[in-house]
Amino acid sequence: MNSKSMLLEGLSDSVGFVAGALIGYGIGSLLGLNIFDAGYSNSSIFGIVLVGLGGGFGLQAARRWRNRAKPENPDNS
């Protein structure tokens, strides 16, 4: 694996994770869940869970996109 492909992998993973986490935060905000609430109330915990799930889904989406964009190599069968 060369350094260019490693850079692309790291950047796509980070962009996917951050975008997914922001989408999770946005959904939580629409539902009235505040992750920055004082203490650990139920709404705060559910908001944090949504951010984590969003980040995980975004990361997986970025990896699927990267694997789909990768050309097939028939020599390595």
Side-chain angles (χ1 to χ4, degrees), residues 16 56-66 68:
F57 284 133
L59 177 64
Q60 291 303 312
R63 288 182 177 175
R64 288 177 192 242
W65 169 79
R66 191 176 59 240
R68 190 175 344 130

Side-chain angles (χ1 to χ4, degrees), residues 7-64:
L7 178 64
L8 178 64
E9 181 178 347
L11 286 175
S12 65
D13 282 354
S14 62
V15 167
F17 179 81
V18 170
L22 287 174
I23 290 170
Y25 175 74
I27 292 171
S29 293
L30 288 174
L31 296 174
L33 306 175
N34 184 8
I35 65 171
F36 301 112
D37 199 13
Y40 288 111
S41 63
N42 286 338
S43 67
S44 175
I45 295 294
F46 288 130
I48 292 169
V49 167
L50 274 177
V51 170
L53 287 174
F57 284 133
L59 177 64
Q60 291 303 312
R63 288 182 177 175
R64 288 177 192 242

